[in-house]
Each structure stands twice: as structure tokens, then as C-alpha cells.
Amino acid sequence: MRFFWAFIWAILISAVISYVLASMAGSTFDVTSTFVVAILVSLAVFILGEGVLKSSEEQ
């Protein structure tokens, strides 16, 4: 369930960032790039959360 919510938040945050940057640049909002960024952010969160970053209790 935590992966689901992390992906939803990644989509929402990526959409906001993409919309703001597109409007500042005067270009159109691209949904495809929003989902690509959301997937990349989600993968980074999953990899860091499950493998790379360990709490002091697990070491």
C-alpha cells in the first residue's frame, strides 16, 4: 500500500512541477513527460527506501 501512495504523490507532484514550468516557459503542458518523471521519482523512492537507505535498527 505504501508503494501505491508513493506513486500517487509522485504523479501529483510531477504534474504540478510540469505545469508550472510549462506555463513559465510559455509551452504546452505535456502529460507524457509528467508520467515519465513520476515513474522515475517512484523508482528512486522505492530503491532508496527498500535497499540503499537502512535504518540504524536494521544494520
Side-chain angles (χ1 to χ4, degrees):
M1 191 68 174
R2 64 180 180 212
F3 295 127
F4 174 74
W5 288 113
F7 184 66
I8 295 297
W9 277 107
I11 290 174
L12 292 175
I13 292 171
S14 298
V16 169
I17 291 171
S18 179
Y19 177 76
V20 168
L21 291 177
S23 66
M24 286 174 55
S27 62
T28 59
F29 176 69
D30 186 22
V31 177
T32 306
S33 65
T34 300
F35 281 115
V36 168
V37 170
I39 290 169
L40 292 175
V41 168
S42 296
L43 287 174
V45 167
F46 299 156
I47 290 170
L48 288 174
E50 292 298 318
V52 176
L53 299 176
K54 300 274 185 186
S55 66
S56 60
E57 300 165 355
E58 295 176 1
Q59 294 179 357

